[in-house]
Amino acid sequence: MVNETEPLLVVDDLAVEFRTDEGVVKAVDGAAFTVDRGEIVGVVGESGSGKSVTAMSILGLVKSGRRVRGAIRFRGRDLGTLPAKELRAIRGAEIAMIFQDPMTALNPVVSIGRQIVEALRLHDRKLSKAAARDRAIELLALVGMPDAAARFKQYPHEFSGGMRQRAMIAMAIANGPSLLIADEPTTALDVTIQAQVLDLLRIAQQETQAATLLITHDLGVVAELADRVVVMYAGRVVEQGDVTTVFTAPRHPYTVGLLESLPRLDRDVDELHPIPGSPPSLLTPPPGCPFHPRCPLARDRCRTERPELRVVGNGTTVHRTACHFAEELAALPTEVTR
Amino acid sequence: MSDLRPSLDTPEVTAAEEVVATETDTAVRSRRRSPLGMAVRRFRRNKIAVAGGVFLLLILLLAVFAPVIAQQSPTAVDLGAIRRAPSGEHWLGTDASGRDVFARLVYAARVSLLVGVFAALLAVLLGTIVGAVSGLFGGWVDTVLMRTADMMLSFPSIVIIIVLAGILGPSIPILVVSIAITTWPTTARLVRGVTLAVREREYLHAARVAGASRGWMLRKHIVPAAMGQIVVVGTISVAAAILAEAVLSFLGLGVQPPQASWGNMLNDAQSLTVIQSMPWLWLPPGLAIAATVLAVNFVGDGLRDAVDPRQSGRS
Ligand SMILES: Nc1ncnc2c1ncn2[C@@H]1O[C@H](COP(=O)(O)OP(=O)(O)O)[C@@H](O)[C@H]1O
Ligand code: SF4
Ligand SMILES: [Mg+2]
């Protein structure tokens, strides 16, 4: 059933586990958030917090993992109950992915143009070769590829890193997706290339009007691009809200910690405060609030009772947090929360 | 051509340089750098392989134009002129039934090439499917298919072929099928290996994310990735199949007289007197088999080097 009043994507109490030799890894444990049509949602969190697993769950492609709880609804359809064939029709056409490393995400022995043509024809078997070719060249030009018609015939190794990024993004938007997922698109890139990639993401988003799920551990990227932000910790969503609200008035100690660990122009390096401790083991997550071993506000209740995501504040946009004592953060001096 | 070598053999190095050029220059570069174009160039540098290819082309022309080239019929019996030495009328003499040896040799090329090529094609097709399914599905499917392949490989293939031809009766289709049945495992192992390697590549994951089915990944990524090596194995299989045809026909289990094949021509020359005093009966078919098989193998080696320069000591 297609329900157009519901948000484009609803991730509802998602839990994914991996069975390993050491035990069951609870990679995602009750993640919940929504993405509206056309909006850019940043997903942040330290490495290992379950961002990639969440993204792959949306595509139904978690290798060897098991979804033990929850649902993912896309345009009102429960992706977990769709037959494989219908899921394939959604992947790449309605939900497309932008990869971190275009050099490895592109087939080295197939020309760039052919790869875009194949992406088009994969979802539209009736599309003629000539029409697909024209469309592919159009797409390359759209992402700012100079001399697109000549570039069409070239192979990935003949492209510079930036050009490969463009080609990959052209491929991702080829079928006019309504949701783009970019998993760490700027990680491991130098600053200038990072800026180019962000520009490209912006172009891709404007051209397709697609909603974008921007996964990153770089808060700066989120601040620059996203409308809303989802903060993940130990497989759970601990805070979410619009970027300005969350970044200026965070209501979860973990978010506060993340923001304080950011190098900023208005602060000296010795004022940086990385969050002490390390993320909990997902094999044996701590009871209660998963953040309590590292939280400066932790007390007995935190060690036994799991905080649920709840609405805080009274702003115009919905701001949620999973902390028992969120209200105490509101009272902290501005140097800490800013 | 040697000035192109550095850039051809190390595409990674030149790849780093940004290609900015006029449209024509770009087109030229693309042709040169396409994997196929590079393989063709490497093949053409290998003189022995090219010579082998030219020889095979001649044999092929001989086979195709047999009726034009051979003035005599290959099956016309002339009991008044048996086992005649070569002469102006019979360039390579006549056999025990007075048939023209040259005509038989030329027509036999048709049979040998046909059996060789079709058996190899069938084997490669079978092997590609089995190998790809094995690699892509894994699990018990993989185990069953690969154990079967191992079994086929561990039997002496000629024995299997003899048994099959013996049971099913000698005919060209049976010959083709029985040769293919014993040679597919080589291709299957190869394609399975490539499938397993490609399966781990990020671009295959990207294809899956883009909505590709297993069949699509097979057609668009795995088979093309294995194609070079499939062609090499296929070529070498042609040589093996030509030899197998010769052996079987020599044993009377292959091509049946009066139709000529290089193998059954040798069958006619089994007696010591023939070997000692009538070389025109066994030397031409023997040389034809040896030279053709050698040429096919030269081409196969050349293709191997061209497809994967890293595996050869030469390039
Ligand atoms: N295939 C897998 N098998 C076992 N554990 C996995 C697997 N994939 C991911 N994990 C675990 O799940 C957790 C979340 O991983 P991931 O979603 O990749 O984190 P992120 O993308 O936020 O860095 C990590 O602890 C990781 O070790
Ligand atoms: S619930 Fe307790 S431990 Fe968890 S973040 Fe809030 S204060 Fe800290
Ligand atoms: Mg990740």
Side-chain angles (χ1 to χ4, degrees):
Chain A
M1 265 238 339
V2 177
N3 178 352
E4 294 292 339
T5 57
E6 202 179 70
L8 181 72
L9 176 76
V10 178
V11 175
D12 183 12
D13 192 27
L14 177 72
V16 180
E17 292 179 355
F18 294 95
R19 284 169 199 281
T20 66
D21 293 342
E22 291 94 70
V24 177
V25 176
K26 295 186 170 176
V28 179
D29 185 16
F33 60 92
T34 62
V35 179
D36 276 325
R37 282 170 184 73
E39 78 172 336
I40 302 184
V41 175
V43 178
V44 296
E46 284 163 302
S47 173
S49 55
K51 305 182 296 292
S52 297
V53 172
T54 302
M56 291 325 283
S57 301
I58 295 170
L59 291 159
L61 286 175
V62 192
K63 284 178 230 157
S64 72
R66 244 169 23 104
R67 204 183 67 189
V68 290
R69 216 169 59 234
I72 292 164
R73 287 190 300 278
F74 178 73
R75 301 176 110 174
R77 284 191 290 176
D78 185 346
L79 295 186
T81 61
L82 285 186
K85 197 168 177 217
E86 283 178 47
L87 258 182
R88 284 203 301 270
I90 289 178
R91 280 182 212 137
E94 293 188 64
I95 304 177
M97 185 129 187
I98 290 168
F99 288 88
Q100 186 181 3
D101 182 358
M103 191 59 207
T104 58
L106 294 166
N107 188 331
V109 297
V110 180
S111 72
I112 293 284
R114 187 96 183 268
Q115 297 195 50
I116 300 175
V117 164
E118 300 292 11
L120 287 163
R121 283 162 59 91
L122 177 57
H123 290 285
D124 184 359
R125 303 284 167 114
K126 289 193 280 293
L127 190 68
S128 75
K129 282 210 166 111
R133 194 198 134 87
D134 291 347
R135 176 86 185 110
I137 292 174
E138 211 176 284
L139 281 162
L140 285 174
L142 197 78
V143 293
M145 184 86 66
D147 211 2
R151 294 266 175 178
F152 181 91
K153 301 187 216 78
Q154 294 185 326
Y155 290 81
H157 71 260
E158 296 177 73
F159 279 52
S160 66
M163 287 298 148
R164 279 197 287 267
Q165 281 281 0
R166 282 170 207 270
M168 190 188 48
I169 288 175
M171 234 164 116
I173 63 172
N175 292 296
S178 48
L179 177 65
L180 279 171
I181 300 175
D183 193 355
E184 309 273 5
T186 59
T187 309
L189 296 178
D190 69 56
V191 184
T192 30
I193 311 262
Q194 256 186 38
Q196 282 176 17
V197 170
L198 293 184
D199 279 343
L200 272 175
L201 281 176
R202 223 176 259 128
I203 293 172
Q205 204 267 341
Q206 280 159 7
E207 286 301 330
T208 55
Q209 291 300 310
T212 304
L213 198 61
L214 179 64
I215 297 171
T216 175
H217 57 250
D218 187 340
L219 295 181
V221 169
V222 171
E224 193 171 328
L225 225 57
D227 304 309
R228 282 199 307 123
V229 61
V230 170
V231 183
M232 285 189 73
Y233 185 78
R236 305 180 196 183
V237 171
V238 293
E239 182 163 13
Q240 68 176 82
D242 78 59
V243 171
T244 325
T245 311
V246 171
F247 281 20
T248 55
R251 288 292 174 270
H252 194 284
Y254 176 62
T255 316
V256 174
L258 279 182
L259 290 165
E260 284 190 338
S261 64
L262 272 187
R264 281 157 57 145
L265 288 178
D266 58 350
R267 271 210 300 249
D268 285 336
V269 175
D270 53 324
E271 281 182 85
L272 285 183
H273 303 290
I275 309 172
S278 53
S281 153
L282 297 176
L283 285 166
T284 48
C289 175
F291 190 55
H292 83 245
R294 302 167 80 184
C295 181
L297 300 184
R299 58 205 78 172
D300 284 346
R301 187 182 168 198
C302 305
R303 286 180 261 276
T304 52
E305 190 187 332
R306 175 174 169 160
E308 297 302 326
L309 207 55
R310 62 191 172 93
V311 176
V312 286
N314 45 14
T316 47
T317 55
V318 182
H319 184 181
R320 288 190 169 90
T321 181
C323 171
H324 293 311
F325 304 106
E327 281 68 20
E328 292 181 17
L329 284 170
L332 285 177
T334 47
E335 304 94 79
V336 177
T337 54
R338 257 208 64 206
Chain B
M1 229 186 267
S2 58
D3 58 322
L4 291 175
R5 288 188 69 153
S7 73
L8 285 170
D9 291 341
T10 54
E12 316 85 272
V13 176
T14 46
E17 108 213 2
E18 184 48 351
V19 181
V20 275
T22 62
E23 202 159 322
T24 48
D25 190 19
T26 308
V28 168
R29 277 162 185 262
S30 292
R31 201 176 328 122
R32 198 175 75 203
R33 289 186 185 185
S34 80
L36 183 63
M38 294 201 294
V40 168
R41 264 158 199 277
R42 277 194 293 266
F43 184 80
R44 284 179 19 197
R45 281 207 305 268
N46 185 336
K47 297 289 178 291
I48 297 177
V50 171
V54 170
F55 178 80
L56 287 181
L57 202 67
L58 287 178
I59 297 280
L60 188 71
L61 288 176
L62 215 63
V64 170
F65 295 106
V68 184
I69 292 161
Q71 301 301 318
Q72 319 253 348
S73 156
T75 49
V77 173
D78 180 358
L79 293 177
I82 59 170
R83 290 181 176 166
R84 291 271 167 88
S87 64
E89 193 190 349
H90 300 289
W91 295 348
L92 292 176
T94 62
D95 69 4
S97 308
R99 294 174 296 210
D100 184 61
V101 172
F102 179 73
R104 290 185 73 71
L105 189 74
V106 170
Y107 276 91
R110 288 185 162 187
V111 175
S112 291
L113 291 186
L114 213 73
V115 169
V117 168
F118 276 96
L121 276 181
L122 194 63
V124 160
L125 188 73
L126 201 66
T128 301
I129 294 170
V130 170
V133 166
S134 218
L136 215 49
F137 285 78
W140 66 267
V141 177
D142 183 34
T143 311
V144 168
L145 291 176
M146 283 305 116
R147 287 303 81 79
T148 311
D150 286 345
M151 255 166 53
M152 300 300 290
L153 283 176
S154 59
F155 275 113
S157 59
I158 200 73
V159 173
I160 299 177
I161 300 177
I162 289 171
V163 170
L164 279 173
I167 295 170
L168 301 170
S171 78
I172 290 181
I174 298 285
L175 197 59
V176 166
V177 169
S178 33
I179 294 173
I181 281 178
T182 57
T183 42
W184 66 267
T186 322
T187 315
R189 292 213 144 272
L190 173 96
V191 172
R192 174 177 177 270
V194 174
T195 307
L196 290 181
V198 168
R199 226 172 72 154
E200 298 308 313
R201 299 292 297 271
E202 180 85 358
Y203 65 77
L204 206 76
H205 177 59
R208 198 175 289 122
V209 167
S213 61
R214 277 177 175 152
W216 178 276
M217 292 186 268
L218 205 68
R219 275 179 288 130
K220 303 292 179 180
H221 293 288
I222 293 169
V223 170
M227 200 37 115
Q229 285 164 279
I230 291 175
V231 168
V232 173
V233 169
T235 308
I236 290 164
S237 304
V238 169
I242 289 176
L243 266 182
E245 181 277 326
V247 171
L248 285 177
S249 299
F250 176 77
L251 296 174
L253 291 166
V255 178
Q256 296 300 296
Q259 187 172 21
S261 91
W262 291 337
N264 72 17
M265 286 173 78
L266 284 176
N267 180 292
D268 287 345
Q270 284 187 54
S271 81
L272 205 59
T273 20
V274 170
I275 293 174
Q276 281 172 346
S277 58
M278 297 170 192
W280 66 87
L281 285 182
W282 55 267
L283 208 52
L287 282 178
I289 293 168
T292 306
V293 168
L294 206 60
V296 174
N297 279 328
F298 283 159
V299 171
D301 285 348
L303 287 174
R304 189 202 309 278
D305 295 354
V307 164
D308 189 357
R310 277 156 300 170
Q311 273 181 9
S312 73
R314 196 173 310 134
S315 155

